[in-house]
Amino acid sequence: MFDFLQKYLMGPMGKIAQLKIVRAVMAAGMASIPFTIVGSMFLVLNILPLPFPFLEGFFNATFFKVSDLYMIVNTMTMGILSIYFAIVFAYELTSIERDEQKLNVNPLTGALLSVFAFFMCIPELIMTDGKISLIASINETETVVNGIRMGSFVERLGTSGIFTAIIMSIIAVELYCMCVKRNWVIKMPDVVPPGVSRSFTALIPTFVIAFVVMIINGLLVALGTDIFKMIAIPFGFVTQLTNTWLGVMVIYFLIHALWIVGIHGANIITSFLTPIVLANMAANAQGANYPLAGEFNNSYVTVGGSGATLGLIIFIAFLAKSDQLKVLGKASLVPGLFNINEPIIFGMPIVYNPYLAVPFFLAPMASATLAYFAIRLEIVKPMLAQMPWPSPVGIGAFVGSGGDWKAAVLAVFCAIIAFIIWFPFIKFYDSKLLNEEREKAAESASEKSAN
């Protein structure tokens, strides 16, 4: 099994993880975390009376009087998340191109050019009688002013624009690097200050990017569509796949298959999932019911860390018979409560361990199944807000679901189901280690007596 995973999974996924675009997406996802968490906290404050009706009178007299003020925080985080993605993704991608190709490009310039390219795609255009014009439509169902579609804010700047932001950033950064590589830049004398020199260096790339994006937009408008609608087709299909039970199972199988051969599967797979789960979370806040959203992973599936090891850690800390597992369990207990379990994965070890590979796969898949159907069947509310991933069991689910107490209960049940799967395997492994320790102790005692 390990040979198979190494050959057909570790190799290809290892190469994918080293792709420039994947590394840049990973950086953008990490950088977006503080914005999504802070914005979500104000959203939770605004919807807290829904699960707790007795708070409604108090909130009407206090918080709701200034809700338009504090909900600006949510709008300027979740509502413009695609801008943050565009900036960080382009900055990181430009840095990678600079370091690996030894190009004289500036990451900040790359980020600004990418935002410029992305913003060129936001206004909605239409062709009528051979003339391209900005859409204007104000009625009960939509508000589009000068091509800008409004929701709570500019609609295309939110999570729905993340994929477009990434695509336009790739185009902008690659065009910028191409211009610099081919020396299509205006060079200034050495005496000119660096800031002024950089601005002139970016002049021709800016024109090239403007021209290319303008051509792309014009062609798509002539065909009756635009870049947002085009990108929504393939990425919408991928999003729908991830919102099926089978899709969720494949995701967690891949994450743990990579872990079992020593690759941080969560980092690789979740870098692709971040735009999807954030978009799903924003949709849930508007009334949708997507299970795979926000911190679904750490709230329900990998409670205690990858492999859903919280119950395992508690068991070996207090009930293991082998000295090795006792010491490891006690050392891993506190980190495990906050979903950090690298000491277990590498210290037990779980990596390359045939005795523990099966529960490492099955436990998170079982907890994911339970959580998926609990949300899909509307027994538990979906994730509406982003919580820090190290949130202890139950807390992240409770707050992330907008205060649904059943979500906290579900999280505990997920941890219990995972431990039930772990139990026979860890019991066997504990006995095996105990026998080995006794054999070593007997050998050591016989050697001492012989001496």
Side-chain angles (χ1 to χ4, degrees):
M1 182 186 71
F2 292 126
D3 290 341
F4 177 84
L5 291 176
Q6 279 185 317
K7 184 177 180 180
Y8 295 104
L9 192 65
M10 182 179 178
M13 283 296 181
K15 291 177 181 177
I16 289 174
Q18 293 305 311
L19 292 176
K20 300 171 185 176
I21 293 172
V22 174
R23 285 146 61 193
V25 169
M26 201 178 299
M30 293 296 291
S32 71
I33 289 174
F35 300 102
T36 58
I37 291 174
V38 171
S40 294
M41 290 303 97
F42 286 91
L43 175 63
V44 170
L45 180 64
N46 220 39
I47 63 176
L48 207 56
L50 294 177
F52 301 108
F54 62 87
L55 293 175
E56 189 171 347
F58 173 72
F59 271 60
N60 285 333
T62 55
F63 293 112
F64 287 165
K65 287 188 175 182
V66 291
S67 64
D68 285 350
L69 174 64
Y70 65 71
M71 280 303 289
I72 291 175
V73 178
N74 180 265
T75 302
M76 294 305 150
T77 50
M78 296 300 299
I80 60 170
L81 199 59
S82 57
I83 298 178
Y84 299 124
F85 260 80
I87 292 171
V88 180
F89 176 88
Y91 187 95
E92 190 70 19
L93 186 59
T94 309
S95 299
I96 293 169
E97 295 286 9
R98 178 195 62 192
D99 297 339
E100 295 186 0
Q101 294 194 46
K102 308 301 180 186
L103 294 175
N104 186 25
V105 291
N106 184 271
L108 183 57
T109 300
L112 293 175
L113 290 173
S114 297
V115 172
F116 165 59
F118 174 53
F119 271 43
M120 282 188 66
C121 299
I122 290 174
E124 296 185 42
L125 299 157
I126 191 171
M127 178 176 278
T128 52
D129 300 325
K131 178 184 177 182
I132 295 178
S133 55
L134 293 166
I135 294 175
S137 175
I138 301 176
N139 53 52
E140 292 180 356
T141 58
E142 64 178 7
T143 301
V144 186
V145 181
N146 291 330
I148 305 299
R149 186 173 297 273
M150 304 300 295
S152 58
F153 194 59
V154 178
E155 199 169 276
R156 287 186 163 185
L157 292 180
T159 53
S160 62
I162 290 176
F163 289 118
T164 303
I166 291 172
I167 298 299
M168 298 315 298
S169 295
I170 293 171
I171 292 172
V173 170
E174 292 306 320
L175 287 174
Y176 175 37
C177 292
M178 181 195 74
C179 290
V180 173
K181 191 184 297 183
R182 298 189 178 187
N183 215 22
W184 296 352
V185 294
I186 297 174
K187 290 187 176 180
M188 303 296 289
D190 294 338
V191 295
V192 175
V196 177
S197 180
R198 279 196 299 270
S199 65
F200 277 90
T201 300
L203 189 60
I204 292 176
T206 303
F207 177 80
V208 171
I209 290 167
F211 185 76
V212 169
V213 176
M214 189 170 58
I215 294 297
I216 293 172
N217 286 343
L219 290 173
L220 291 176
V221 170
L223 294 172
T225 185
D226 61 26
I227 189 71
F228 274 82
K229 295 172 185 174
M230 289 291 291
I231 289 175
I233 296 171
F235 286 108
F237 175 71
V238 172
T239 300
Q240 290 305 313
L241 281 180
T242 60
N243 286 321
T244 64
W245 173 78
L246 184 59
V248 171
M249 291 300 99
V250 170
I251 288 167
Y252 285 104
F253 172 80
L254 289 175
I255 288 174
H256 293 86
L258 289 169
W259 260 126
I260 208 71
V261 289
I263 295 179
H264 200 307
N267 274 355
I268 295 175
I269 303 300
T270 55
S271 65
F272 295 104
L273 290 178
T274 297
I276 294 173
V277 297
L278 290 176
N280 286 350
M281 184 179 72
N284 287 343
Q286 300 300 317
N289 188 47
Y290 294 116
L292 191 66
E295 274 301 334
F296 174 84
N297 178 52
N298 288 297
S299 295
Y300 299 118
V301 184
T302 57
V303 178
S306 293
T309 56
L310 180 61
L312 163 73
I313 292 171
I314 294 172
F315 174 82
I316 64 173
F318 299 106
L319 297 173
K321 295 180 179 178
S322 64
D323 292 334
Q324 177 181 329
L325 292 189
K326 281 180 184 177
V327 172
L328 185 62
K330 289 174 182 176
S332 305
L333 188 57
V334 173
L337 292 173
F338 297 95
N339 300 326
I340 300 168
N341 70 343
E342 277 77 1
I344 287 289
I345 289 178
F346 296 106
M348 190 171 277
I350 293 174
V351 172
Y352 286 107
N353 190 332
Y355 299 101
L356 302 177
V358 172
F360 190 70
F361 284 109
L362 290 184
M365 293 172 76
S367 56
T369 297
L370 179 61
Y372 176 88
F373 285 108
I375 294 171
R376 180 63 76 192
L377 297 174
E378 299 187 11
I379 299 169
V380 171
K381 289 183 180 178
M383 301 302 280
L384 310 173
Q386 186 84 341
M387 280 294 290
W389 64 265
S391 301
V393 60
I395 296 176
F398 176 76
V399 179
S401 62
D404 186 358
W405 64 268
K406 289 179 290 185
V409 174
L410 174 62
V412 174
F413 267 107
C414 287
I416 292 171
I417 289 291
F419 174 65
I420 290 171
I421 292 173
W422 271 107
F423 180 73
F425 294 91
I426 194 60
K427 189 75 174 169
F428 172 81
Y429 191 58
D430 184 37
S431 299
K432 176 181 175 296
L433 294 180
L434 180 63
N435 290 334
E436 290 176 358
E437 289 172 0
R438 286 174 177 172
E439 287 174 3
K440 288 180 182 178
E443 289 175 6
S444 178
S446 62
E447 287 177 2
K448 287 181 179 178
S449 61
N451 292 330

